[in-house]
Amino acid sequence: MDRAAAGLESRRLGAGVPWRECAATAVAAAVGDPGLWLLGLLGFLARGGLIVLLAPILTLPSPVGISTLLGADAIRIGGLSERTALLLALGVVAVAAAVVAGLLVGAWAELAAFERLLAGPEVEPLLGHRAAAGLAGGRGWLIVDLAALRLVALAPAAGALLLATTRLVEATWQEFLLPGRLDVPLVLRVVVAARDPLLLLAVLVVAGDLAATVGTRLLLGRRVGRRPFGPADGPKAGIAGRVLRAWLGGWSVTLAVLCVALLSLTGAWTWLKTVLLDPGFGLGAGPLGALLAALPFALVWAAALVLVGLGSALRSAIWSTEALL
């Protein structure tokens, strides 16, 4: 009996596809389709991953820099100036609009990746005809539903973010007025002062991501006519076991990919700054020399994007195969 026939017979008997085959199918589907890498990268960047990748090369302004940027009266003894408060309010509106747009783009990328995965040669033979045929109903409202589902799941994290932001602003204000240890970077001093709400934020982000991912697979699975997270490996393996396997597998891939990407970007950026700020280089290199010096960093940046796209595609494929097969 070939692989496809074995998979169909297994589901007919109610046993599902063994988890090792699910994992192997996810890896083969994600690695073998660069289109999934692109969709995975788009979804990752749209949902805030761009900020994560820019973190190694961004330098937060010092209190003096903030004062120079916003004006000498930006922060007063009694609080923020009217102009600073207005700029802060406009920034909140802009961030809210960016979040909504990011959720919609991320939902579109997730749906497109799901459809592409189902139609791929690795997954399609293991699915019944109804699931392989594609989604039932329109795609427009489904994208809105997916974005709304993730927004609701991450709403507690948004509240924690507001709390953490408030604490960060207060800590920054205190450091601006009464600086602490000057031998410790400003960012580290502020983070230590706001460590409790930041820890709560991290926990709620992980929990919200789990709820959103499970809810997404439940919604998509039903739209292709399947019961997501059905029993596999016999009747003893239930929904909790399959969700736990997908969660551990997905986060393992995500953390490994981000560690490699961020460490590579940090090292490349540090090297580039060292080269560009070297007095000898600055005297004789010129614009062409600076461009050539930046080329290795650009290559590392491109490689990091490819790696993150592959990791995101693999994470999505792990969840989809674990839910549907």
Side-chain angles (χ1 to χ4, degrees):
M1 183 181 297
D2 62 15
R3 182 184 176 194
L8 292 175
E9 180 66 13
S10 176
R11 275 181 306 287
R12 186 183 69 79
L13 297 175
V17 176
W19 71 268
R20 290 184 180 85
E21 187 172 351
C22 283
T25 301
V27 172
V31 173
D33 187 356
L36 290 176
W37 307 1
L38 182 60
L39 292 171
L41 177 62
L42 177 61
F44 176 81
L45 295 179
R47 290 177 180 143
L50 180 61
I51 298 176
V52 176
L53 293 181
L54 288 177
I57 66 175
L58 291 179
T59 301
L60 296 180
S62 64
V64 176
I66 295 175
S67 178
T68 302
L69 180 65
L70 298 179
D73 62 340
I75 301 178
R76 302 169 179 169
I77 299 297
L80 300 176
S81 67
E82 291 80 2
R83 183 167 59 87
T84 304
L86 176 60
L87 291 175
L88 183 60
L90 292 177
V92 170
V93 173
V95 168
V99 167
V100 173
L103 287 174
L104 290 173
V105 173
W108 177 87
E110 187 168 27
L111 178 58
F114 183 80
E115 292 177 312
R116 191 179 182 98
L117 180 73
L118 260 60
E122 295 83 9
V123 176
E124 185 177 12
L126 299 176
L127 293 173
H129 174 72
R130 172 67 183 84
L135 296 167
R139 300 175 76 255
W141 283 111
L142 181 56
I143 293 174
V144 175
D145 289 342
L146 292 174
L149 190 155
R150 190 166 292 272
L151 179 63
V152 171
L154 292 175
L161 177 61
L162 180 61
L163 177 63
T165 301
T166 302
R167 185 68 189 97
L168 287 171
V169 170
E170 291 176 353
T172 304
W173 181 26
Q174 291 296 326
E175 289 292 337
F176 182 82
L177 296 176
L178 298 172
R181 294 180 54 184
L182 297 181
D183 59 327
V184 178
L186 170 65
V187 175
L188 184 58
R189 300 199 305 268
V190 171
V191 168
V192 170
R195 59 186 179 277
D196 291 339
L198 288 176
L199 179 60
L200 175 63
L201 173 62
V203 171
L204 291 179
V205 165
V206 173
D209 177 75
L210 174 61
T213 307
V214 171
T216 296
R217 293 309 180 275
L218 292 174
L219 178 60
L220 292 175
R222 288 167 182 167
R223 291 292 292 269
V224 297
R226 297 188 65 82
R227 182 168 65 90
F229 299 105
D233 297 332
K236 293 184 179 180
I239 293 177
R242 305 197 73 178
V243 169
L244 180 61
R245 286 199 299 255
W247 184 78
L248 290 175
W251 271 107
S252 297
V253 171
T254 299
L255 292 178
V257 165
L258 286 181
C259 284
V260 173
L262 293 178
L263 288 175
S264 300
L265 288 174
T266 301
W269 180 246
T270 301
W271 175 84
L272 179 59
K273 289 194 300 182
T274 302
V275 171
L276 294 180
L277 295 178
D278 183 82
F281 179 85
L283 291 176
L288 181 58
L291 183 62
L292 291 176
L295 182 59
F297 174 76
L299 294 176
V300 172
W301 179 264
L305 292 179
V306 172
L307 181 62
V308 168
L310 174 59
S312 298
L314 181 55
R315 180 179 186 271
S316 178
I318 289 173
W319 273 102
S320 296
T321 54
E322 190 65 64
L324 298 181
L325 298 185

